Amino acid sequence: MCVGCFFMVPRGPRAVEVVLSAEEREELARWADGGVSVRAAERAGIILACADGASNTAVAADFGVSTETVRKWRSRFVARRLAGLADAPRPGRRKPALVLSEAERAELTPWARRAKTASSWHCARRSCCGARTAGRTRRSLANSASRTTR
């Protein structure tokens, strides 16, 4: 035994072991083949690789994610099984849903189009440039203003 080997200890906590039933393995294989969203397919592939005995580092390298991501999905799966792979609700206030009837939508659409076009034409007339250029400029200014207010 070499002198340096005596001091080598595993870094960090040991990874949680993933044991799958036959039904879970079939379901995860179906998810990984694209039966669900891309994110869920990636998570299913991560869990299948972990169940086959791969380390967090190896799985992270295979899937192009961080070891922290592999650790998170491994522990969520062990805690809540397949339900743990679902997206959790996002924090913060939800956006209010704007529900319009078809009649209201038909009434408001022309107004929105008119306002959008009128502002581009008005800007174009004042600055002696084309409406398309004015529209592009207006959109880029709106985008830059929204980036600075965040």
Side-chain angles (χ1 to χ4, degrees):
M1 179 173 180
C2 70
V3 176
C5 297
F6 178 74
F7 294 105
M8 291 182 64
V9 292
R11 291 182 289 157
R14 188 173 167 93
V16 180
E17 187 178 357
V18 176
V19 180
L20 299 176
S21 68
E23 294 84 22
E24 287 175 332
R25 187 173 286 278
E26 284 178 27
E27 187 71 15
L28 287 170
R30 188 179 66 78
W31 287 10
D33 288 339
V36 290
S37 70
V38 175
R39 287 180 178 174
E42 181 181 61
R43 294 169 192 165
I46 288 171
I47 297 303
L48 287 170
C50 291
D52 291 340
S55 69
N56 287 348
T57 308
V59 174
D62 288 346
F63 285 88
V65 296
S66 68
T67 54
E68 193 60 39
T69 300
V70 175
R71 187 176 299 124
K72 173 177 70 171
W73 292 117
R74 182 190 287 255
S75 58
R76 281 193 189 180
F77 180 80
V78 169
R80 294 185 283 157
R81 308 311 290 176
L82 291 173
L85 300 182
D87 281 328
R90 298 288 180 195
R93 184 176 170 187
R94 292 184 178 217
K95 293 180 183 176
L98 178 63
V99 181
L100 297 175
S101 67
E102 288 302 317
E104 291 170 327
R105 187 177 306 278
E107 183 179 342
L108 291 176
T109 302
W111 284 99
R113 285 186 184 142
R114 225 177 287 149
K116 187 175 179 180
T117 308
S119 62
S120 294
W121 280 107
H122 180 67
C123 180
R125 270 192 244 125
R126 283 195 334 202
S127 63
C128 300
C129 64
R132 292 181 68 186
T133 304
R136 271 196 312 271
T137 305
R138 184 176 46 83
R139 281 190 298 278
S140 70
L141 289 174
N143 288 339
S144 64
S146 68
R147 274 190 236 123
T148 57
T149 59
R150 288 184 187 167

